Amino acid sequence: MDLRIDPIQERLANAVDTVLTRTGVPHTELASIGLPALSIREESGGLGLGLDADIMVNERLGYGLEPFGAYRETVLALELVDPDDIPDSLLLELIKGIRHAMTVGTHTTPVISADAEGRLHGQSECLPVAELGLLVVRAREHDGGTGWYLVPPDLPGCRIEKVRRLGTPQLRMSLDFAEGVPVLIDDGRVETALNFARVRQAALLLGLARRAISEARDHVNSRHQYEKPLVELQTVAHGLARLSGEGDGWNLLTHETGWNCDRGRAGTQDTALLLAAAVEHAFQASRKCVQLHGVRGMLDHSVPAIIYRLVSIEGLRMGTPAELWRLAALG
Amino acid sequence: MDFDIPDSTVEFEQRLITVLSSPKTQELLDEVHHRADGMDGDPRPLYRHLGRAGLLAPSWPKEYGGLEADPTATVKLLEHMVQYGVPQSLYYISVQIVGSLILQSGTDQQRRTLLPRLASGELTMCILFTEPGHGSDLAGITTSATGNDDGSWTLDGRKTYNLKTAYADLALCAVRDGGETNRYESITLFLVPLTGPGISIRPIPSLSDEQFHDVRLTNVRVEREATLGRVGEGWGLITRMFTAERNGLDYYARARYWLEQITARITQAGREPHVEELVGLAHHRARLRASHLLCYRVLQGLSQGEADIAQASLAKWHCSETAQGIAWWAVQTWGVDALEPGPHTFDAAFREAPGMTISGGASEVLLDIVAGARLLDHASTGG
C-alpha cells in the first residue's frame, strides 16, 4: 500500500488548478487539458485514465467552485451507451467537450414515460447547464418496466427550459411524445457506470468541502472578536479540526474505492457508502463555513453562500443521503 | 497511490493465523482469560510463544528480531491479535511504542540488548509519564532525577494511572532532571527496571477490564546508561514517541473486531435484520474504513522516516472515536441484551469505550494539535 499522491495525479491536479484561473469559458478551458476525454473509456475513443485521474480532477473542480457537472454526465452517458449507437461526429464532439451528454432518470426514479410506441413524455429532473448533444433517458414503460432511449435535444417534441435552483442555473428537458431511439443497456453495465459516477461525485463534494474548510480557516484567522482571532476559541478550532480530519479520511476512502472500482472489486454498496459519507461531510463543512462567517456568510455573492448552494445542488444530484445510506446497507 | 497488500504480508498473515489458531496458543489464551492472578491476566507466556514464532515485530530490522516487513504486516498482526482474543495493550506499549522509540533513538547498546528481547516476548515494558497532577500537560511533571557523583541517578516521585505496570520488566519513565529552568528542556527519559529497591506498584481497579497502577519511586538508583536519549532532551523524544503511539492502530483493530461482532449478531441465522440496523452498520463501516486508511498513512510515514505529529494525532482521534462509537451504538441498539455474557457480548467493550478517547492522548488535546498544525495562519491546510 502507498497512500501518497503519485506524480501523475499531482500534475493533473495542478493542470486543473491552472485552467480554472483562466478567464475563458470553463468548458473550453477544461477541454484544452483533455476533459472529458481522459475520463472516457478507450473503447469509446477516450484516454481511459481511470478513477485515479478522475478523482484528482473532480476534487480540484470542487475546490475551484466549478462543478462542471456536464463533464461527469458526459462520461457517465458514454459508459452507459455502446459507442456504436452514437453517430461518429457526435461522439467526437462529446469526447472533445464541444457538446455534452446528459442522463435523465438515472440517479432518480424515472420521471419520463414511454408509451406503447416508445414515444417519450414528461419533464426531466434538473440537469447541469451544458451545450447539449445527447440525452440518455431511462423511462418508465407502459408495461411497468424501464427502458433506455437516446434523445438528440433537437428532436421534435423536445424542449429545453432554463431554470434556477437555489439561485444556480440548471436545465430541464420537456419531452412531448418525442420519438427517442430505444437502446439496450444491461443492468451490469448500468451498475458499473453508476459506481464510477458516485466516486467522481464524491471527489467533487470533498473538493467543495475542502474549500469550505479553507475559507472558514482564513476567516477565523482574520476575524477578531473579544480581542483575539476567532481561531483561538476552542469551540471554533475544534469544530474545524474535526471537519479537516474527517475530510482526510473520506478523501483516502475515495481513492481506495476508486482503486477498487478500476479493478472491478467495488460494488454498489461500496460506492453508495462513499458518496453518502461525502455528501454528509460536504453538508457539514458548507454549513460550518457559513456559520463561522456570521452574517457575511449569508450575503448572496459571498463565497460561503456559493459553496452552500453548490453543495446542496451537487450533494442531492445522485439521491439523498438517506437513500444512499439505504443503498449502502441493502445494495 | 496503491491499495494492494504485498505478497509478503499475505504470507505473514497466513503464518500468523496458523500460529494463532494452534492448540498451544489456545491453551495459553485460556490461561490469560482465566485471570488466575486476580488482575488483568498475565499475557507474557503467550507473548513469548508468539515471539518465538517471530511474529511480534514484523516491521523491525532482522538484526533486532524483525522481518523488515511492509507496515501492512503490522496492521494484520493487530487485527488478528484482537480477533483471536490476544490482549494487545502490553504488547503494543512494549514493542510498538517503547520498542519503536528505542529503535529510533536508543544507543547501539540499547538496541542490541533490548530490541531482540522485546521482539521475542522475553521482555516487556510500560510507560511512566502521568502523575497525579499532570496528565495531558506532561511538561509539568515533578518526579525528579538527581545526578550522583559516579554518574548514576536517583529518582524520586510518583506516577499514576499507568497501564500494565504489574507485568512490565522495565519502565520508560519521564522525570525532571534539575537542568534548564525551561520546563520543556529539563525532562529526561530513563529506562527503569521495575524489580529493584525503592519501587512500589499498587493496582487501581478501573471501569474497564484493565487496571491502572500507582507507582512510587523512592530513592531509586539507576545507572548512567539507563537514560534514553540525552539528558534534557526527553521532551523531543516524548513528542516523537507520540507519533508512534498515536497512529490509532490498536483502536482501529478493536473497532474492526467489534463491528464484526455486531455484524454477526445482526445477521445471525433465523433473524431478519432491521433496515435501521443495516443502515447503522453502513455508517460505522464507512468510518471504520476511513480510520484504517488514516492509521495506515501514519504507519507508512513512520516507516519512511516522515513522522507527522498532526497526522498521528488525527489518526488516534479518529480511530478512538470510531471504536467508541461502535461500542456505544451496539449497546444502544440492543439494550442490555448486548451486555449479557455470550459469544458477542459488548460488556467489556462498553466499559472500555469511555477511556478510548482519554488515554493515549485525550481527544481535546489531539484536536488542539491538529488545529495548531492546520488552522493557524502559519499552518498548511492539511490533507
Side-chain angles (χ1 to χ4, degrees):
Chain A
M1 273 173 77
D2 185 350
L3 302 189
R4 292 170 299 183
I5 299 291
D6 64 47
I8 294 174
Q9 290 176 308
E10 192 90 56
R11 278 206 293 276
L12 205 46
N14 290 338
V16 175
D17 287 349
T18 304
V19 156
L20 291 180
T21 62
R22 295 182 192 155
T23 52
V25 179
H27 289 188
T28 311
E29 295 291 352
L30 288 164
S32 72
I33 59 163
L35 288 181
L38 61 86
S39 303
I40 294 169
R41 289 175 308 178
E42 286 176 280
E43 66 181 87
S44 298
L47 298 173
L49 294 189
L51 287 173
D52 265 5
D54 287 0
I55 288 168
M56 299 307 292
V57 169
N58 283 290
E59 203 271 344
R60 296 318 298 172
L61 289 176
Y63 191 87
L65 308 184
E66 290 286 354
F68 195 25
Y71 143 64
R72 281 179 303 286
E73 278 295 309
T74 299
V75 177
L76 171 61
L78 293 182
E79 281 175 348
L80 287 168
V81 180
D82 189 321
D84 291 342
D85 290 333
I86 303 173
D88 288 348
S89 58
L90 175 59
L91 183 60
L92 197 61
E93 284 187 322
L94 296 177
I95 291 168
K96 286 185 170 178
I98 297 167
R99 290 204 284 169
H100 300 96
M102 293 283 158
T103 69
V104 173
T106 312
H107 309 300
T108 59
T109 307
V111 287
I112 304 291
S113 301
D115 65 15
E117 281 75 46
R119 292 177 303 179
L120 304 171
H121 57 96
Q123 202 174 42
S124 76
E125 67 268 31
C126 285
L127 307 171
V129 171
E131 188 65 39
L132 273 181
L134 180 69
L135 287 166
V136 180
V137 177
R138 187 166 70 116
R140 268 197 325 266
E141 300 199 303
H142 65 285
D143 62 1
T146 57
W148 293 90
Y149 296 83
L150 300 186
V151 179
D154 53 0
L155 197 69
C158 192
R159 186 166 49 86
I160 299 169
E161 187 187 352
K162 290 182 179 172
V163 296
R164 295 183 83 82
R165 285 288 173 273
L166 291 176
T168 306
Q170 303 278 299
L171 297 181
R172 178 164 259 176
M173 182 64 65
S174 290
L175 297 169
D176 187 16
F177 295 96
E179 293 188 15
V181 180
V183 287
L184 285 175
I185 303 176
D186 71 63
D187 290 347
R189 188 164 185 150
V190 174
E191 186 182 345
T192 302
L194 283 176
N195 283 335
F196 277 66
R198 287 189 199 104
V199 175
R200 291 188 200 101
Q201 192 72 5
L204 176 89
L205 287 159
L206 293 175
L208 284 163
R210 195 186 291 216
R211 179 63 179 272
I213 294 166
S214 175
E215 292 292 329
R217 173 194 179 280
D218 290 349
H219 181 72
V220 299
N221 272 283
S222 61
R223 174 78 172 153
H224 283 63
Q225 294 283 274
Y226 313 110
E227 299 177 339
K228 59 185 176 184
L230 287 176
V231 73
E232 290 186 17
L233 298 172
Q234 202 173 61
T235 49
V236 171
H238 283 193
L240 279 179
R242 280 178 178 273
L243 281 170
S244 173
E246 297 285 2
D248 272 23
W250 301 134
N251 189 44
L252 289 168
L253 184 60
T254 306
H255 283 282
E256 184 187 52
T257 308
W259 172 273
N260 287 329
C261 275
D262 279 339
R263 286 152 187 80
R265 300 176 194 156
T268 297
Q269 288 181 292
D270 300 301
T271 57
L273 178 145
L274 168 70
L275 183 54
V279 173
E280 288 189 342
H281 175 68
F283 278 153
Q284 287 170 13
S286 65
R287 291 164 190 172
K288 177 67 83 179
C289 182
V290 174
Q291 172 72 25
L292 290 177
H293 276 79
V295 177
R296 287 169 180 75
M298 292 296 294
L299 299 178
D300 189 42
H301 293 294
S302 71
V303 173
I306 291 168
I307 297 171
Y308 183 83
R309 285 195 289 262
L310 290 177
V311 165
S312 304
I313 298 283
E314 296 300 334
L316 298 172
R317 198 177 287 288
M318 294 192 179
T320 65
E323 289 165 344
L324 289 165
W325 281 119
R326 206 178 153 89
L327 194 58
L330 306 173
Chain B
M1 286 186 166
D2 179 345
F3 292 87
D4 278 345
I5 303 291
D7 290 344
S8 58
T9 294
V10 174
E11 288 161 20
F12 173 78
E13 185 179 18
Q14 286 166 349
R15 200 156 62 80
L16 179 64
I17 291 170
T18 303
V19 174
L20 288 173
S21 53
S22 71
K24 180 63 181 172
T25 303
Q26 195 54 56
E27 179 190 320
L28 291 166
L29 269 172
D30 289 344
E31 284 175 21
V32 176
H33 294 149
H34 185 56
R35 298 169 73 153
D37 59 4
M39 299 195 293
D40 297 359
D42 187 353
R44 287 174 292 185
L46 176 59
Y47 289 171
R48 287 194 285 272
H49 168 63
L50 299 177
R52 279 193 292 275
L55 297 171
L56 292 181
S59 65
W60 286 6
K62 287 179 180 169
E63 63 181 306
Y64 301 131
L67 302 169
E68 295 176 4
D70 178 270
T72 51
T74 305
V75 176
K76 290 294 174 195
L77 174 62
L78 262 293
E79 286 178 355
H80 286 290
M81 282 178 83
V82 173
Q83 192 164 355
Y84 279 84
V86 177
Q88 80 278 16
S89 291
L90 180 60
Y91 156 75
Y92 203 79
I93 294 168
S94 297
V95 177
Q96 296 298 338
I97 300 177
V98 185
S100 295
L101 185 65
I102 294 171
L103 183 63
Q104 283 179 4
S105 310
T107 62
D108 284 346
Q109 170 76 4
Q110 286 166 337
R111 283 197 284 261
R112 275 199 312 275
T113 56
L114 299 175
L115 295 181
R117 294 172 64 209
L118 286 168
S120 67
E122 296 297 326
L123 183 73
T124 52
M125 302 185 75
C126 68
I127 297 169
L128 299 182
F129 284 0
T130 304
E131 297 182 356
H134 301 282
S136 295
D137 179 18
L138 272 183
I141 55 170
T142 59
T143 296
S144 65
T146 308
N148 302 316
D149 291 342
D150 62 356
S152 66
W153 294 82
T154 301
L155 312 185
D156 283 284
R158 182 179 166 200
K159 298 287 184 180
T160 194
Y161 307 138
N162 315 288
L163 290 173
K164 300 299 173 191
T165 317
Y167 298 129
D169 304 300
L170 280 176
L172 179 68
C173 186
V175 303
R176 180 78 53 208
D177 59 29
E180 296 288 327
T181 49
N182 181 328
R183 66 187 204 143
Y184 295 102
E185 294 173 3
S186 56
I187 292 174
T188 297
L189 296 183
F190 286 88
L191 294 166
V192 182
L194 290 174
T195 49
I199 294 176
S200 72
I201 300 170
R202 182 174 65 88
I204 308 171
S206 83
L207 174 62
S208 78
D209 279 344
E210 287 190 312
Q211 63 194 11
F212 297 118
H213 300 86
D214 190 74
V215 179
R216 288 180 189 271
L217 302 123
T218 310
N219 287 323
V220 175
R221 191 180 168 90
V222 291
E223 298 306 316
R224 183 204 306 258
E225 296 75 23
T227 55
L228 181 63
R230 291 183 186 166
V231 173
E233 292 185 358
W235 186 254
L237 292 180
I238 289 171
T239 306
R240 187 179 296 182
M241 194 193 83
F242 283 162
T243 311
E245 176 188 8
R246 292 174 178 170
N247 54 46
L249 177 56
D250 47 342
Y251 299 93
Y252 152 73
R254 274 174 282 179
R256 177 180 178 274
Y257 176 67
W258 292 343
L259 198 61
E260 280 178 3
Q261 295 297 295
I262 302 172
T263 306
R265 191 171 174 137
I266 281 180
T267 56
Q268 64 188 303
R271 184 181 182 280
E272 187 63 35
H274 300 300
V275 172
E276 297 77 22
E277 292 173 343
L278 295 173
V279 169
L281 267 185
H283 273 275
H284 289 293
R285 199 166 64 242
R287 204 169 195 282
L288 178 69
R289 286 171 61 185
S291 285
H292 171 240
L293 294 166
L294 289 169
C295 165
Y296 186 79
R297 183 172 67 173
V298 177
L299 290 174
Q300 183 184 354
L302 286 170
S303 74
Q304 291 162 341
E306 297 165 5
D308 183 327
I309 186 69
Q311 283 190 359
S313 301
L314 192 159
K316 192 275 168 178
W317 161 73
H318 196 279
C319 293
S320 61
E321 293 213 346
T322 298
Q324 186 180 68
I326 289 170
W328 284 344
W329 178 70
V331 175
Q332 286 164 203
T333 300
W334 287 299
V336 289
D337 281 358
L339 304 174
E340 288 292 317
H344 303 307
T345 182
F346 272 81
D347 170 63
F350 189 69
R351 286 183 289 109
E352 183 183 353
M356 300 186 104
T357 51
I358 299 171
S359 64
S363 286
E364 289 76 10
V365 175
L366 302 177
L367 289 171
D368 266 348
I369 293 170
V370 175
R374 292 190 167 186
L375 300 179
L376 299 182
D377 249 347
H378 62 270
S380 70
T381 50

